[in-house]
Amino acid sequence: QMASIKLPDLPVSEQDLASDAFALAAINGLVVVDIEETRKLSHVPFTLKPSPFSRALFAEAVEVQTDFNALLQALRVDPNFILNVLQETTQNDPFTAKLVDIYRVYFLESRKQALSMGVLRSDYMVSQSGRRPTLRQVEINTIASSFGFLSERVCRAHRMLALKFPQLRIQLEDMPQNRFMEAIPSAFARALVLYEYKCNIRTQLSKEVFDDERQLKAELARQKSSTLVLFVVQPDERNIADQRFLEFELLSRYGIRSVRKTLAAIGEENQDRSDSILRANEEEVAISYFRAGYTPDDYPNESCWLGRELIESSRSIKCPDIATHLLGTKKVQQYLAKDGVVEKYIFDDEAVRRIRATFATQYGLGVHDDDRELGIAAAKASPELFVLKPQREGGGNNIFGAGIPSHIESMDDSALSAFVLQERFFPTVTRSMFVRSGEIFESDIESELGIFGVLIGSDEKVFLNEYSGHLLRSKVASSNETGFMLGFVLYYFFLVSRKGGQKLAFQFEVAEIVVAK
């Protein structure tokens, strides 16, 4: 339960804090389109100060991200994995079935572009169920991974509040730098260079172009590309700042132009597929970047499905392609947790250990899943310990606690196979002050850490595999979902060590991972 509060323990008025926080949200782009008035902007809710997060667990999450990137790349190029894992799900989930049909036709049978790009985000909660806190993966997002820009800007807002209100005692030296807006625009620029090289330019592409920012810009200038980045967006998109700042950064830093279109608008252009070139406003598209297309609501008519097919059948680099999109389904996540699956694709023992250490207990509920009956029995006996998940993204779809047994009972065996059962996490609850609608509130909150990764690869080669930023979201402790656009809180954090408050330097290295051919 939230309540407006006073601040008797701080030598600063609530009015001053709220006023400055509201201004900082505006000047840092922490805004979304108002849910009631579409020509009005509202600030996103955010905490007044960063919240503590374990330095060791943060380092673990960053280190394992490139392992997950490599795993997804290896799975993407296995023609049998997706069809086998999702076979039963497609029989009972029309949306997933349609996506798999597109995968079969435009990826397996008639693919025009071997290159793929992914802006990925792996989400974690800290589980307190064992002897010590551990990192547990909630899900991995492979399409429309959002809020990287907003997270970076919350950090800026907190730094400004720290300077003006030292009595807030914000520990700036322990706040990790967020490199999302450095890494992601650079990755798009590299992908565009690769597109021009593969499609139009037959000269040798120097490795230094990928390693040196100046040479990357020089190569873009030499190519004089007239191609676009297509942002595939929802018709009534509210999260505009998170997207628009990336567009503007591409233009200002690299001279790369963008265009925004809905799936329906793309489908209604009735493009000629004979040359495999995707066009938007009669200009060639080099990269198709999905910020939509992950929910059935994005496909209300056949024009939307045609738009998706036009993109997948083109030679534009997809971010992500249909294969990578499907690897983000809950069924794939549940299947990967089975013994021996990760080991088929990742041959570095330490990378396998890091990946497996994040897995939660999960049960498949398909007729052919060997752990199905065990999962159903566990869910009925202790429903408060589980979450029932369909193959959906975007929040608001999961079933929790007491609602699970009745939901299981209401479905026949085939319908139940479209769900997976995952253990529920019980992270530490902390008290926090945050700003919403220009007012300061206080509430108990739980946090969820998101780690971004970026991947560019073909069937034969990985061109880029990096950690690319982070996000910490919170939800009111009495709420179940953490989807930001559902109205929960975004905030930044600082790192703490276990040993007597000693401050430890944070570093990480990206290890080379051997993946299956």
Side-chain angles (χ1 to χ4, degrees):
Q1 182 179 0
M2 295 182 297
S4 185
I5 64 164
K6 302 298 180 183
L7 304 171
D9 57 332
L10 296 176
V12 58
S13 73
E14 177 182 345
Q15 182 177 359
D16 287 344
L17 269 175
S19 176
D20 279 69
F22 182 81
L24 287 170
I27 65 176
N28 281 286
L30 294 171
V31 293
V32 293
V33 174
D34 188 81
I35 196 168
E36 296 179 352
E37 298 181 45
T38 58
R39 297 182 64 85
K40 176 183 174 183
L41 297 178
S42 301
H43 75 81
V44 302
F46 65 100
T47 55
L48 275 175
K49 57 188 294 188
S51 298
F53 195 90
S54 164
R55 184 183 300 272
L57 294 182
F58 179 72
E60 288 179 21
V62 169
E63 185 177 26
V64 77
Q65 184 58 45
T66 51
D67 301 332
F68 273 111
N69 292 353
L71 176 60
L72 291 175
Q73 169 64 11
L75 296 172
R76 171 184 169 271
V77 300
D78 180 348
N80 299 313
F81 181 84
I82 289 173
L83 294 181
N84 290 341
V85 173
L86 295 179
Q87 180 179 8
E88 191 171 357
T89 302
T90 59
Q91 296 171 7
N92 305 286
D93 184 336
F95 178 64
T96 303
K98 180 69 173 179
L99 293 175
V100 170
D101 285 342
I102 292 174
Y103 166 74
R104 184 181 290 107
V105 173
Y106 297 113
F107 189 90
L108 293 182
E109 298 175 5
S110 59
R111 184 161 37 132
K112 300 299 190 300
Q113 177 58 263
L115 291 168
S116 176
M117 179 178 174
V119 176
L120 314 167
R121 195 187 73 227
S122 188
D123 292 336
Y124 303 93
M125 279 189 168
V126 177
S127 174
Q128 302 285 347
S129 57
R131 289 183 297 177
R132 67 179 184 87
T134 54
L135 207 62
R136 287 291 180 264
Q137 187 182 66
V138 178
E139 63 181 352
I140 188 160
N141 300 275
T142 60
I143 183 171
S145 303
S146 306
F147 313 128
F149 165 78
L150 293 178
S151 179
E152 185 177 288
R153 290 307 176 100
V154 168
C155 177
R156 290 193 186 190
H158 283 157
R159 290 179 183 276
M160 293 179 188
L161 283 172
L163 293 174
K164 183 161 186 180
F165 300 106
Q167 56 268 46
L168 289 176
R169 299 184 294 276
I170 296 176
Q171 300 172 329
L172 293 180
E173 65 273 17
D174 288 333
M175 291 175 63
Q177 292 293 328
N178 195 334
R179 62 186 304 266
F180 184 87
M181 288 303 290
E182 169 195 345
I184 299 305
S186 176
F188 273 94
R190 299 179 204 188
L192 190 141
V193 165
L194 282 172
Y195 177 84
E196 294 290 343
Y197 167 66
K198 294 286 187 181
C199 296
N200 304 316
I201 298 173
R202 297 301 175 187
T203 57
Q204 182 65 35
L205 183 65
S206 169
K207 181 180 182 297
E208 284 71 24
V209 169
F210 266 61
D211 298 336
D212 186 274
E213 181 80 358
R214 288 179 299 178
Q215 292 200 42
L216 176 61
K217 291 181 178 180
E219 179 65 20
L220 286 166
R222 187 185 70 80
Q223 290 181 352
K224 297 180 179 178
S225 174
S226 60
T227 57
L228 303 172
V229 173
L230 169 65
F231 280 63
V232 183
V233 298
Q234 294 173 328
D236 300 313
E237 179 61 66
R238 295 182 59 217
N239 187 23
I240 59 169
D242 197 56
Q243 299 175 14
R244 289 289 193 175
F245 271 88
L246 177 55
E247 291 181 49
F248 300 151
E249 189 71 8
L250 288 173
L251 184 62
S252 62
R253 198 196 305 181
Y254 299 108
I256 297 173
R257 297 177 302 127
S258 304
V259 63
R260 298 168 62 85
K261 283 186 176 291
T262 64
L263 285 166
I266 297 164
E268 289 164 2
E269 288 192 12
N270 296 314
Q271 301 182 41
D272 178 11
R273 301 192 195 187
S274 60
D275 60 3
S276 302
I277 295 176
L278 183 68
R279 293 181 175 85
N281 302 335
E282 301 184 352
E283 296 190 81
E284 183 175 356
V285 172
I287 304 171
S288 299
Y289 177 37
F290 286 95
R291 294 300 296 257
Y294 53 86
T295 169
D297 295 340
D298 289 335
Y299 302 88
N301 54 54
E302 285 304 310
S303 291
C304 298
W305 283 113
L306 178 59
R308 182 64 184 264
E309 291 173 6
L310 283 166
I311 294 171
E312 297 296 340
S313 65
S314 77
R315 74 181 193 186
S316 70
I317 296 175
K318 273 68 75 176
C319 182
D321 60 22
I322 186 66
T324 307
H325 176 180
L326 287 167
L327 291 174
T329 56
K330 306 300 184 293
K331 184 62 184 178
V332 168
Q333 183 183 0
Q334 175 260 320
Y335 187 83
L336 287 174
K338 289 179 173 289
D339 291 343
V341 176
V342 173
E343 290 83 351
K344 293 179 181 178
Y345 298 93
I346 298 293
F347 306 134
D348 181 295
D349 291 343
E350 281 302 300
V352 171
R353 181 194 60 77
R354 288 191 294 266
I355 290 171
R356 286 206 163 276
T358 70
F359 285 163
T361 300
Q362 300 187 70
Y363 298 97
L365 300 178
V367 174
H368 301 295
D369 284 310
D370 53 14
D371 56 351
R372 177 180 184 273
E373 295 304 323
L374 183 63
I376 291 174
K380 289 182 177 180
S382 303
E384 71 280 2
L385 301 181
F386 295 97
V387 181
L388 190 64
K389 293 185 171 184
Q391 312 302 312
R392 295 291 181 269
E393 303 297 331
N397 301 297
N398 298 332
I399 299 152
F400 294 82
I404 294 176
S406 60
H407 204 84
I408 290 176
E409 291 293 338
S410 70
M411 293 185 288
D412 59 25
D413 288 348
S414 60
L416 191 58
S417 67
F419 288 77
V420 300
L421 188 70
Q422 184 183 75
E423 73 169 286
R424 187 172 182 177
F425 311 120
F426 297 94
T428 299
V429 175
T430 59
R431 198 76 177 166
S432 183
M433 296 180 293
F434 59 93
V435 186
R436 175 179 284 170
S437 301
E439 295 185 58
I440 295 177
F441 296 89
E442 184 180 38
S443 180
D444 290 334
I445 60 172
E446 298 171 351
S447 61
E448 181 174 305
L449 175 68
I451 299 293
F452 290 94
V454 62
L455 179 70
I456 301 174
S458 65
D459 290 7
E460 298 81 23
K461 184 176 181 179
V462 174
F463 294 91
L464 182 66
N465 178 4
E466 289 183 351
Y467 153 74
S468 55
H470 46 266
L471 160 73
L472 200 67
R473 290 174 295 175
S474 71
K475 67 181 181 68
V476 175
S478 59
S479 170
N480 286 323
E481 298 278 7
T482 56
F484 169 72
M485 296 311 293
L486 297 177
F488 305 106
V489 183
L490 178 77
Y491 68 114
Y492 210 71
F493 61 104
F494 64 92
L495 302 174
V496 295
S497 307
R498 292 178 183 160
K499 296 181 179 179
Q502 179 185 6
K503 296 172 183 176
L504 304 177
F506 171 67
Q507 295 179 332
F508 71 95
E509 296 179 357
V510 177
E512 182 177 353
I513 303 301
V514 181
V515 298
K517 294 288 187 182

